Amino acid sequence: MVSESPAEASETLWRTALHDFNNLLAGVQGVLDLSDPAEPLSARNRLRLEATLEEGRNLVAMSRALALGRIPDAGQLPWPEWREGLLRRLEPLSVLFKCPVEVVLMEPGEGRAWPAPLLQDWALAFSRQILPWVAPGVLRVEAEASPEGWLLRWPGAPPIPPALLPEPPEDAARNLTSLWLRSVGERLGLTLEARDGALLARVPKA
C-alpha cells in the first residue's frame, strides 16, 4: 500500500471523524426516538444513551491521539486487573449490541503482567469493529501469555476487516477506529491474523 502524504492523512482523518461523529449523533437520536418525551428515560434507554456517549468519548480520545500523535507508551498490569479493565471497557458495547462478553485466560499464567492501557484499548476498539457480526451471540476473548509475548483470540469471529489487512484494498471502508487500530498496532508491534475460524492478535515482548 502506498503511504499517504501528511496532507492526505490529515484529510482522511478529518473525513472519517466527521462520518463517525455523524453516526454517533444518529445513535443519540435513535435513543430519543424510542423514548416517550413525556416520561423519564427508561432504564434500558438510559443504559443505551450512556453507552453511546461513552463511545463518543472514545472517538474523541482516538481523534486527539491521531491528530496530535500522542499515543501513550504501554505500561503493564497483573492479569486480574487487566481483565477487569477490559471488561469495564467492553460493558457499554455489551449494552448497545445486547451481546454477553467473556474474557478468559486460556493457560496458567495469572502472575504474568499484561500491556496496559494500550492493549486493553486496542482490544476494545477491535471488538467494536467485529461486534456487528458477532451479536447477538457471545463475544469471547481468549488470552494467553508466554515469555515471547501475548496473544488475544476472538473465536468464531468474521474475517479480518478489510481496512485492517496488511495491504488494505483501495475500496476498504475506513473509519476512525480502523485508523487508530493501525496506529496503535504499529506502536505495539502487533500482528493480526485469521486462523482456524478465529482472529488472533499477537504482541511480542520488546
Side-chain angles (χ1 to χ4, degrees):
M1 182 180 66
V2 178
S3 299
E4 293 182 321
S5 68
E8 290 172 332
S10 178
E11 181 178 354
T12 298
L13 176 58
W14 179 244
R15 288 177 179 272
T16 54
L18 286 176
H19 177 269
D20 286 9
F21 279 104
N22 181 68
N23 288 343
L24 176 70
L25 292 175
V28 173
Q29 185 65 56
V31 174
L32 297 178
D33 289 344
L34 292 173
S35 304
D36 185 342
E39 299 290 337
L41 284 176
S42 67
R44 171 66 185 169
N45 281 337
R46 181 175 293 277
L47 284 174
R48 290 183 64 223
L49 182 58
E50 290 175 353
T52 302
L53 293 176
E54 179 63 25
E55 185 171 358
R57 285 189 284 269
N58 288 334
L59 290 175
V60 170
M62 289 179 184
S63 298
R64 292 184 63 187
L66 290 170
L68 302 176
R70 294 180 180 174
I71 298 175
D73 293 331
Q76 292 193 345
L77 284 176
W79 166 255
E81 295 177 34
W82 193 92
R83 176 180 181 272
E84 181 181 353
L86 178 56
L87 284 172
R88 186 171 59 251
R89 288 166 166 81
L90 289 170
E91 184 177 4
L93 294 182
S94 177
V95 171
L96 280 176
F97 289 89
K98 301 180 182 179
C99 183
V101 173
E102 299 176 356
V103 179
V104 182
L105 186 65
M106 299 301 292
E107 47 85 34
E110 289 196 2
R112 298 186 186 276
W114 281 71
L118 277 186
L119 186 55
Q120 292 164 307
D121 293 339
W122 194 95
L124 165 66
F126 182 73
S127 297
R128 177 63 178 86
Q129 294 292 94
I130 66 174
L131 254 176
W133 289 270
V134 175
V138 176
L139 174 70
R140 180 178 172 90
V141 184
E142 298 174 350
E144 297 180 19
S146 70
E148 291 75 34
W150 301 271
L151 170 69
L152 294 176
R153 180 188 298 107
W154 285 261
I160 296 175
L164 298 179
L165 291 170
E167 296 290 338
E170 291 187 5
D171 60 350
R174 296 184 181 185
N175 55 34
L176 191 59
T177 303
S178 65
L179 296 178
W180 185 90
L181 282 166
R182 293 184 72 90
S183 181
V184 172
E186 292 174 3
R187 174 70 63 90
L188 291 169
L190 183 148
T191 57
L192 183 62
E193 63 176 312
R195 179 184 297 180
D196 300 327
L199 296 179
L200 285 66
R202 299 179 185 274
V203 177
K205 285 197 172 177

